[in-house]
C-alpha cells in the first residue's frame, strides 16, 4: 500500500518537475505515461483481471492513470494560455 502511494507520488513529482521546466516536457512525459496506462487498460486484459482481484493495486493503477491524464490536460491548458 505504501509502495503504491510512493510510486504515484514519484510520478506526480516527475510530471510537476517537467512542468516547472517547460509545459512541453510535461506534455511529452504525461502523454507517454498515459499511453502506457492506456495500453494496459486496452490490450493487457489478463494483467488487468489479475489486478482486479487485488483492490489496492487496482486503485493504485487507476490513480496513476488519473495523474497521467490530468498531467496531459494541465500541460495542454498551460500551452494554450501561453500562446
Amino acid at each position: 500500500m505504501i509502495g503504491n502511494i510512493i510510486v504515484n507520488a514519484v510520478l506526480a513529482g516527475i510530471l510537476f518537475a517537467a512542468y516547472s521546466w517547460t509545459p512541453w516536457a510535461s506534455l511529452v512525459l504525461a502523454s507517454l505515461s498515459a499511453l502506457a496506462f492506456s495500453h494496459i487498460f486496452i490490450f493487457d486484459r489478463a494483467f488487468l483481471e489479475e489486478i482486479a482481484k487485488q483492490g489496492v493495486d487496482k486503485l493504485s493503477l487507476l490513480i496513476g492513470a488519473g495523474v497521467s491524464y490530468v498531467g496531459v490536460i494541465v500541460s495542454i491548458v498551460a500551452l494554450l494560455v501561453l500562446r
Side-chain angles (χ1 to χ4, degrees):
M1 175 72 174
I2 299 297
N4 294 334
I5 293 171
I6 291 172
V7 168
N8 285 324
V10 168
L11 174 63
I14 289 171
L15 291 177
F16 182 74
Y19 177 77
S20 297
W21 183 45
T22 176
W24 282 107
S26 177
L27 180 61
V28 169
L29 290 177
S31 298
L32 290 174
S33 179
L35 285 174
F37 280 111
S38 298
H39 182 270
I40 290 172
F41 286 133
I42 295 171
F43 296 113
D44 203 355
R45 292 286 182 188
F47 177 71
L48 197 58
E49 289 175 7
E50 182 180 322
I51 290 285
K53 295 176 186 173
Q54 304 167 352
V56 175
D57 289 338
K58 182 179 178 183
L59 180 64
S60 176
L61 189 64
L62 291 173
I63 290 172
V67 167
S68 297
Y69 296 135
V70 166
V72 170
I73 292 169
V74 167
S75 298
I76 290 173
V77 169
L79 289 170
L80 289 174
V81 169
L82 288 176
R83 294 288 163 167

